[in-house]
Amino acid sequence: SQTYLFQKSGHVIAFYFLAFMIHFTIRKGSSGFILSVAFGLFTEIAQLYFSRTGCLLDVGYDVLGISLYFILYMINQKIMLLSSKAQSG
């Protein structure tokens, strides 16, 4: 349904920006990825204690947003590297 898609796209977008903020703060890609995923797992587990249902599928949407950020970041880095090589060579 439209509500389901809206909620799940919210997971993807929120965790995309979470990955950006963590990566920007600690400046290490692998650590940023792991911390972001751990936060996603933690939030789903924590929901079990607050009258909500934790869902592993939601963690999958979280990881999708995190992965999307890091994939786009790596593509951007490659483009910048190729651009700087082209300008210097």
Side-chain angles (χ1 to χ4, degrees):
S1 75
Q2 190 173 3
T3 303
Y4 179 84
L5 291 175
F6 182 74
Q7 289 175 344
K8 301 315 170 190
S9 63
H11 276 266
V12 173
I13 293 167
F15 277 83
Y16 177 95
F17 285 108
L18 174 71
F20 165 74
M21 290 185 290
I22 289 175
H23 186 224
F24 183 78
T25 302
I26 64 173
R27 303 283 183 187
K28 290 190 175 186
S30 58
S31 298
F33 185 86
I34 291 168
L35 281 172
S36 298
V37 171
F39 186 77
L41 280 168
F42 171 77
T43 59
E44 292 305 316
I45 292 169
Q47 286 182 34
L48 297 172
Y49 298 97
F50 295 100
S51 302
R52 296 196 53 192
T53 58
C55 179
L56 283 179
L57 185 59
D58 285 349
V59 176
Y61 288 112
D62 300 345
V63 171
L64 178 62
I66 295 163
S67 299
L68 185 61
Y69 166 75
F70 281 103
I71 289 168
L72 293 175
Y73 175 80
M74 287 187 286
I75 290 170
N76 184 53
Q77 292 299 102
K78 293 282 185 187
I79 291 170
M80 289 174 51
L81 180 66
L82 292 173
S83 176
S84 67
K85 282 184 180 180
Q87 289 177 357
S88 64

